[in-house]
Amino acid sequence: MEIQTTTLADLKGAAAEILKAAGDNRIFLFYGEMGAGKTTLIKALCRSLGVTDDVTSPTFSIVNEYRSADGPVYHFDFYRLKHHNEALDMGYEEYFYSGNYCFIEWPEKIADLVPEFYTGVRIHILEEQKRQLCIENI
């Protein structure tokens, strides 16, 4: 599935489509270069899930937890990890296998730890504001 966005306002509809396409899957892996809009898209997804907390990048904390009516939503940013052992030390399994939504930026840093089934979201920069979102369920 592919979605194109040209403005930030398009993200609300894109988020709804992504969540619908994912079905019962609650693990999401986000791929894209620095500045592609991974965190911005995750903010839109969180809003679609009813999160009212301030959604920010967990670049230094590695994981942020937000509240939703369906339970916690976990937002990971593994960009700064030097080795996947850092994810092991933080107890990633408790999050990934909790049944709660997990939005994971830079999953390539922990490729051998990601769950077997997930929704992958690849963000391609087409122009300054225009993005192509490629979504696949694995």
Side-chain angles (χ1 to χ4, degrees):
M1 171 180 173
E2 291 184 8
I3 301 169
Q4 284 199 9
T5 62
T6 54
T7 67
L8 290 175
D10 294 341
L11 292 179
K12 181 178 180 180
E17 286 186 53
I18 291 168
L19 290 170
K20 182 179 177 185
D24 292 335
N25 193 357
R26 291 187 170 215
I27 303 292
F28 293 77
L29 308 184
F30 294 85
Y31 299 91
E33 63 186 79
M34 186 75 71
K38 294 180 291 294
T39 299
T40 303
L41 178 57
I42 290 170
K43 286 179 185 182
L45 288 160
C46 285
R47 294 295 171 249
S48 289
L49 294 171
V51 170
T52 58
D53 299 324
D54 188 26
V55 177
T56 60
S57 177
T59 302
F60 293 101
S61 62
I62 301 177
V63 63
N64 286 346
E65 180 178 336
Y66 313 118
R67 293 179 304 269
S68 80
D70 291 330
V73 174
Y74 301 113
H75 177 190
F76 298 86
D77 184 336
F78 290 117
Y79 180 75
R80 298 205 179 279
L81 256 59
K82 303 277 189 263
H83 192 274
H84 78 264
N85 282 344
E86 293 174 74
L88 292 170
D89 292 343
M90 68 172 282
Y92 82 97
E93 293 167 313
E94 290 180 41
Y95 298 102
F96 288 7
Y97 299 100
S98 67
N100 295 303
Y101 282 96
C102 292
F103 299 131
I104 304 163
E105 297 185 48
W106 302 100
E108 54 271 39
K109 295 280 197 159
I110 58 156
D112 54 339
L113 301 178
V114 298
E116 182 179 1
F117 301 102
Y118 60 86
T119 297
V121 180
R122 295 189 184 276
I123 303 173
H124 303 282
I125 300 173
L126 302 178
E127 294 173 16
E128 187 175 327
Q129 290 290 322
K130 191 174 184 179
R131 301 290 188 267
Q132 180 179 32
L133 311 175
C134 300
I135 296 93
E136 61 181 354
N137 287 318
I138 308 263

